[in-house]
């Protein structure tokens, strides 16, 4: 356990649990923002919201190996603890939990948790095992940090639904709060993976948010046919030479079930590769 700019940095499970137990004995409310580092303004907005909802703020930085597929970017994922600490130095974070993989997955670990139905569509279809890894690590972090409130971004919409369902199904006494997507001025959703984009790919990536905006506009004008709306969105992506599309779908905003006619609260969700970078985005109708 060390201190940096008045932020306590903890690298092991036992010390984090002891600290959380002591904070709870004082009657204080622990708010929690789990991250994989490579922090950007989207993460910082979650932390500011969490600071308002509790009086002891914990941020975790852990690149979770179990949510990456064999051909994904686990090894090249940006890791810069010092840089991340500088970014959060004026937010009021009280503790950063920064464990290594062996702390979270001790030798011989074989216990996992899955939310069976919500993990199947969208990203679950294209990233098998991803949400099993997400749900497992989030449950582990909840058991270690022991938060009263946890904040997640709505950009990872399916992940947010899965975590809410896990908390409900397992009777965890944690309030899960989703916060709106933070975007660049041109509409691109903030993501750690944006750093992988070339200038040319970065310019093309704007088409994701443009397509979502156009679908919202057409929906408000009365076009509720899901097939037509999705085709419109795909055509907008194609015009920007975005052709490697995992999915472009309109789904029920609670169950992620398929729809033929778009309804209020439905989510429009995209996953596409631009260059070698897979980006996701969404909006709710």
């Amino acid at each position: 356990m060390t201190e940096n700019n008045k932020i306590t940095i903890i690298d092991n499970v036992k010390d984090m649990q002891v600290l959380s137990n002591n904070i709870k004995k004082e009657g204080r409310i622990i708010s929690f923002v789990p991250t994989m580092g490579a922090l950007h303004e989207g993460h910082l907005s979650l932390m500011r919201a969490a600071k308002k909802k509790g009086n002891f703020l914990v941020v975790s930085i852990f690149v979770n190996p179990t949510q990456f597929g064999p051909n994904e970017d686990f090894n090249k994922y940006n890791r810069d603890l010092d840089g991340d600490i500088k970014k959060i130095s004026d937010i009021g974070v009280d503790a950063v939990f920064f464990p290594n993989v062996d702390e979270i997955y001790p030798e011989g670990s074989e216990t996992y948790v899955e939310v069976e139905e919500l993990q199947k569509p969208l990203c679950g279809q294209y990233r098998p095992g991803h949400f099993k890894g997400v749900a497992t690590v989030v449950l582990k972090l909840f058991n270690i940090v022991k938060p009263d409130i946890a904040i997640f971004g709505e950009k990872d919409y399916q992940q947010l639904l899965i975590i809410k369902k896990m908390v409900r199904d397992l009777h965890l006494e944690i309030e899960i709060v989703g916060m709106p997507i933070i975007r660049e001025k041109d509409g691109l959703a903030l993501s750690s993976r944006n750093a992988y984009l070339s200038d040319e790919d970065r310019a093309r990536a704007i088409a994701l948010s443009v397509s979502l905006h156009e679908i919202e506009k057409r929906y408000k004008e009365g076009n509720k046919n899901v097939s037509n709306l999705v085709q419109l969105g795909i055509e907008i992506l194609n015009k920007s030479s975005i052709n490697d599309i995992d999915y472009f779908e309109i789904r029920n905003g609670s169950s992620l079930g398929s729809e033929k006619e778009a309804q209020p609260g439905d989510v429009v969700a995209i996953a596409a590769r631009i260059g070698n970078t897979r980006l996701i985005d969404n909006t709710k109708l």
Side-chain angles (χ1 to χ4, degrees):
M1 185 184 303
T2 60
E3 286 198 1
N4 186 320
N5 294 326
K6 298 183 180 179
I7 299 173
T8 301
I9 300 174
I10 301 171
D11 64 4
N12 67 88
V13 169
K14 183 177 179 181
D15 285 352
M16 186 69 248
Q17 289 176 322
V18 168
L19 176 60
S20 292
N21 286 336
N22 289 337
I23 294 299
K24 284 185 170 291
K25 286 177 183 177
E26 295 172 5
R28 298 167 72 183
I29 296 171
I30 298 175
S31 56
F32 179 45
V33 179
T35 81
M36 293 204 303
L39 302 179
H40 52 66
E41 181 56 35
H43 296 112
L44 305 188
S45 71
L46 302 183
M47 295 175 201
R48 294 186 189 103
K51 188 68 179 176
K52 293 177 181 178
K53 291 182 174 293
N55 47 33
F56 192 87
L57 173 55
V58 179
V59 171
S60 65
I61 297 176
F62 178 67
V63 184
N64 175 38
T66 65
Q67 69 188 68
F68 288 81
N71 298 312
E72 295 183 344
D73 56 353
F74 174 72
N75 289 324
K76 73 173 185 177
Y77 199 89
N78 185 28
R79 296 161 171 85
D80 179 15
L81 178 63
D82 290 340
D84 287 339
I85 294 296
K86 287 179 183 177
K87 291 174 186 175
I88 66 176
S89 61
D90 62 349
I91 288 178
V93 174
D94 295 289
V96 169
F97 181 46
F98 181 68
N100 61 37
V101 172
D102 290 340
E103 280 288 320
I104 301 299
Y105 298 100
E107 185 177 356
S109 290
E110 56 181 73
T111 302
Y112 294 87
V113 60
E114 294 185 74
V115 179
E116 291 186 340
E117 292 303 315
L118 280 175
Q119 72 178 357
K120 289 179 179 178
L122 303 177
C123 282
Q125 182 178 350
Y126 292 90
R127 302 182 70 189
H130 170 69
F131 288 118
K132 175 182 176 181
V134 168
T136 299
V137 78
V138 169
L139 182 58
K140 284 173 175 279
L141 290 170
F142 284 170
N143 286 332
I144 296 164
V145 176
K146 307 181 181 185
D148 300 285
I149 301 164
I151 311 289
F152 293 84
E154 291 180 352
K155 186 175 77 69
D156 296 296
Y157 187 83
Q158 186 174 12
Q159 170 182 281
L160 176 61
L161 289 187
I162 285 170
I163 290 165
K164 285 183 174 179
K165 188 75 163 67
M166 178 184 72
V167 165
R168 175 181 175 273
D169 289 355
L170 298 182
H171 309 288
L172 304 181
E173 294 183 302
I174 303 170
E175 179 186 354
I176 304 299
V177 178
M179 297 297 294
I181 297 171
I182 303 297
R183 299 182 180 276
E184 302 277 9
K185 290 181 180 179
D186 60 11
L188 182 66
L190 290 182
S191 169
S192 301
R193 290 186 168 91
N194 290 350
Y196 302 157
L197 296 170
S198 67
D199 290 344
E200 180 183 348
D201 290 340
R202 170 65 178 76
R204 291 195 295 131
I206 299 168
L208 272 66
S209 61
V210 171
S211 67
L212 294 174
H213 179 75
E214 187 62 27
I215 286 176
E216 284 186 288
K217 177 184 172 185
R218 296 294 180 92
Y219 173 75
K220 289 176 181 177
E221 291 172 351
N223 186 346
K224 294 179 169 55
N225 182 281
V226 165
S227 180
N228 290 345
L229 292 171
V230 166
Q231 185 58 38
L232 168 67
I234 291 173
E235 288 173 359
I236 291 172
L237 297 190
N238 292 163
K239 285 178 183 177
S240 290
S241 298
I242 300 174
N243 302 304
D244 190 355
I245 302 169
D246 279 358
Y247 60 80
F248 197 127
E249 297 189 37
I250 298 176
R251 295 263 180 168
N252 181 279
S254 299
S255 68
L256 297 184
S258 298
E259 304 274 43
K260 291 185 178 179
E261 295 288 317
Q263 306 292 331
D266 283 356
V267 62
V268 188
I270 309 171
R273 284 179 176 79
I274 303 171
N276 295 319
T277 304
R278 185 180 189 272
L279 298 180
I280 61 173
D281 202 348
N282 71 78
T283 191
K284 288 190 80 172
L285 299 177

